[in-house]
């Protein structure tokens, strides 16, 4: 196998990175962010309560959680090329079901299938694939892949809102189904699960190990993973992050719609979040490569907590403040997508990386599933979503404290060369 780190030829891993970005655009951006655009229209068109609308998110999160439990068996059985393509295509199937739905149970069926797409095709396979393809700039490439959901948040709100307003809700749902199926075909054609599939080695592996041996005069053979205490702490961090991240983004359009913001203003708010989030997912990865996962995570956790506090300002009806809030949200949100792969890289050696990502992502999915229906229930009780976003901010602050304790209690002198 060859190491193309210093070759003038385009390293195929960058094409794989693009494929993973496309998959995340669909399985995270379209499944989650895209549905958030449809939720106010679905609730109005079918006279659903806040709790019923939120239950669609709960159902999606439930099936995502179940899928994450079996994700290791799934990819062991079909491989990453087929597995990622199928996960992408399932989103298209979900939106086809949404497009023909005329009763609430049919919408629930679509939500369940979209949950499988999310669970099988989000950051877990991305982290494993990038861990195989890149030894240098690993956090950066994970950030680039994660930016796929941010790109979806940029493009989809104005496009889908425009189609719905100009044509119909069904037309927008069919449009989503078509492009996701096209993207699934692209992923199948170009994605490869490991460098060996193209006769290559991981990007920068030899260079990094040569540098490490020159400094340490020893092979990097240490094996380590999270201590019991750290597992508990990081499990709680992931659980809390899942509880506030996915439900938080999903309910942003409803928050501003319920406070009488116009539909295109709401679309603009979500697009701003997407633009800034896309940029800062790449920035997050680059900063993590420089400052390390600990400092970077604390900074972004605090920014996200601040942004949720600012969301409570929706009650003022101020459009300028809402746009500023969207900007801060976009800066903070990258931690929710690429935090877990970065933490796994900090806390364990390479042989434990994939299972650590799966376990932490499973607790993240559990948090999203448990809390997904709570925003609608609380909104029905209190008459608005302001209290919900105040709770999100509190959860974020608790998660920050637990993250700090985890990093300070886990020995980090055994980190692998990066």
């Amino acid at each position: 196998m060859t190491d193309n780190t210093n070759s003038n030829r385009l390293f195929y891993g960058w094409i794989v990175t693009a494929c993973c970005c496309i998959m995340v655009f669909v399985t995270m951006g379209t499944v989650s962010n895209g549905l958030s655009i449809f939720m106010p229209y679905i609730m109005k068109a079918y006279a659903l309560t806040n709790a019923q609308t939120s239950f669609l998110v709960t159902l999606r999160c439930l099936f995502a959680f179940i899928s994450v439990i079996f994700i290791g068996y799934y990819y062991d059985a079909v491989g990453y090329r087929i597995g990622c393509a199928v996960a992408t295509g399932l989103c298209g199937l979900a939106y086809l079901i949404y497009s023909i739905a005329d009763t609430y149970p049919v919408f629930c069926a679509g939500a369940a299938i979209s949950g499988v797409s999310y669970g099988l095709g989000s950051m877990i396979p991305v982290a494993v694939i990038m861990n195989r393809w890149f030894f240098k700039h690993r956090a950066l490439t994970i950030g680039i892949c994660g930016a796929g959901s941010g790109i979806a948040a940029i493009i989809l709100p104005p496009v889908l809102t425009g189609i719905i307003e100009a044509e119909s809700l069904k037309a927008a749902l069919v449009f989503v189904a078509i492009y996701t199926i096209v993207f699934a075909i692209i992923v199948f054609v170009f994605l490869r699960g490991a460098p060996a599939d193209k006769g290559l080695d991981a990007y920068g592996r030899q260079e990094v190990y040569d540098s490490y041996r020159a400094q340490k005069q020893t092979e990097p053979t240490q094996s380590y993973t999270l201590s019991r205490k750290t597992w508990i702490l990081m499990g709680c961090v992931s659980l809390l992050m899942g509880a506030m991240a996915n439900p938080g983004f999903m309910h942003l359009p409803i928050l501003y719609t319920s406070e009488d913001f116009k539909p295109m203003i709401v679309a603009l708010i979500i697009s701003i979040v997407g633009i800034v989030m896309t940029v800062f997912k790449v920035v997050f990865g680059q900063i993590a490569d420089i400052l390390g996962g600990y400092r970077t995570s604390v900074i972004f956790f605090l920014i996200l907590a601040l942004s949720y506090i600012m969301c409570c300002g929706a009650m003022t009806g101020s459009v300028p403040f809402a746009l500023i809030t969207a900007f801060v949200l976009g800066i903070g949100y990258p931690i929710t997508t690429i935090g877990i792969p970065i933490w796994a890289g900090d806390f364990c050696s390479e042989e434990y990386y994939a299972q650590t990502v799966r376990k932490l992502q499973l607790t993240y999915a559990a948090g999203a599933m448990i809390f997904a229906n709570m925003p609608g229930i609380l909104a029905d009780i209190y008459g608005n979503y302001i209290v919900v976003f105040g709770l999100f901010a509190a959860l974020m602050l608790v998660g920050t404290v637990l993250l700090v304790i985890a990093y300070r209690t886990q020995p980090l002198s055994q980190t692998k060369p990066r």
Side-chain angles (χ1 to χ4, degrees):
M1 293 188 291
T2 60
D3 182 352
N4 286 8
T5 303
N6 299 314
S7 173
N8 291 327
R9 182 181 178 184
L10 177 67
F11 181 57
Y12 196 83
W14 295 112
I15 297 175
V16 174
T17 302
C19 289
C20 288
C21 184
I22 289 171
M23 180 181 67
V24 171
F25 180 98
V26 173
T27 60
M28 293 184 68
T30 303
V31 166
S32 179
N33 304 347
L35 181 60
S36 69
I37 303 303
F38 289 111
M39 282 173 64
Y41 293 99
I42 292 173
M43 184 168 65
K44 182 178 179 180
Y46 293 90
L48 304 182
T49 66
N50 288 304
Q52 285 178 314
T53 308
S54 290
F55 184 72
L56 295 176
V57 182
T58 301
L59 199 59
R60 178 179 62 74
C61 292
L62 171 62
F63 277 82
F65 176 77
I66 295 171
S67 299
V68 171
I69 293 175
F70 297 101
I71 193 170
Y73 302 105
Y74 171 73
Y75 281 106
D76 286 344
V78 303
Y80 282 90
R81 182 186 182 187
I82 295 175
C84 291
V86 170
T88 306
L90 284 173
C91 177
L93 175 59
Y95 273 88
L96 281 176
I97 292 174
Y98 289 146
S99 70
I100 63 173
D102 56 2
T103 62
Y104 185 66
V106 180
F107 275 110
C108 289
I113 293 174
S114 72
V116 178
S117 174
Y118 187 100
L120 296 179
S122 55
M123 292 303 294
I124 297 177
V126 166
V128 173
I129 293 170
M130 292 299 101
N131 193 56
R132 292 177 174 180
W133 275 95
F134 290 91
F135 211 74
K136 285 182 65 179
H137 308 306
R138 188 175 294 159
L140 174 62
T141 56
I142 290 173
I144 292 171
C145 295
S149 62
I151 296 170
I154 297 169
I155 297 173
L156 296 182
V159 171
L160 297 181
T161 301
I163 295 174
I164 294 170
E165 295 289 334
E167 298 294 333
S168 67
L169 175 61
K170 182 176 181 178
L173 292 168
V174 170
F175 169 76
V176 172
I178 291 172
Y179 82 69
T180 53
I181 292 171
V182 171
F183 283 171
I185 295 171
I186 292 173
V187 169
F188 176 75
V189 172
F190 293 103
L191 188 141
R192 297 296 184 273
D197 295 340
K198 299 291 289 185
L200 300 170
D201 197 4
Y203 185 86
R205 178 187 295 275
Q206 194 60 49
E207 178 185 339
V208 172
Y209 275 158
D210 286 347
S211 174
Y212 184 89
R213 286 194 294 269
Q215 295 178 30
K216 303 294 184 181
Q217 300 300 314
T218 177
E219 290 287 337
T221 57
Q222 291 176 312
S223 178
Y224 53 96
T225 186
L226 286 74
S227 66
R228 180 182 178 86
K229 182 177 180 180
T230 308
W231 268 119
I232 294 172
L233 289 167
M234 293 307 299
C236 290
V237 172
S238 299
L239 187 78
L240 290 173
M241 191 167 70
M244 64 85 209
N246 199 283
F249 192 95
M250 288 293 294
H251 288 86
L252 273 176
I254 295 181
L255 166 69
Y256 285 102
T257 300
S258 66
E259 296 297 330
D260 296 326
F261 284 75
K262 295 181 180 179
M264 290 309 296
I265 294 296
V266 175
L268 176 61
I269 290 169
I270 304 303
S271 289
I272 290 175
V273 174
I275 292 169
V276 179
M277 180 169 57
T278 300
V279 173
F280 273 85
K281 281 185 178 180
V282 179
V283 171
F284 182 99
Q286 190 66 36
I287 293 175
D289 278 332
I290 297 171
L291 296 182
Y294 172 49
R295 293 184 181 90
T296 307
S297 296
V298 170
I299 291 170
F300 279 77
F301 262 31
L302 292 175
I303 292 172
L304 188 54
L306 172 63
S307 67
Y308 277 137
I309 294 172
M310 294 174 68
C311 282
C312 297
M315 69 174 70
T316 66
S318 171
V319 173
F321 187 77
L323 299 181
I324 295 171
T325 300
F327 185 85
V328 181
L329 273 168
I331 296 174
Y333 262 128
I335 185 70
T336 67
T337 304
I338 52 182
I340 287 175
I342 301 301
W343 302 333
D346 281 348
F347 284 119
C348 65
S349 52
E350 192 161 355
E351 63 267 37
Y352 292 107
Y353 181 81
Q355 70 173 0
T356 302
V357 171
R358 284 198 297 268
K359 289 179 179 179
L360 292 178
Q361 196 71 45
L362 183 64
T363 58
Y364 176 96
M369 176 186 65
I370 294 168
F371 200 80
N373 208 40
M374 291 303 295
I377 294 173
L378 292 174
D380 283 336
I381 293 173
Y382 292 99
N384 61 65
Y385 283 87
I386 303 301
V387 65
V388 174
F389 281 83
L391 180 58
F392 287 152
L395 291 176
M396 198 73 254
L397 291 173
V398 172
T400 305
V401 173
L402 295 177
L403 181 77
V404 170
I405 296 172
Y407 266 92
R408 291 189 175 184
T409 56
Q410 174 79 4
L412 294 180
S413 59
Q414 298 177 310
T415 52
K416 59 177 176 280
R418 297 182 62 162

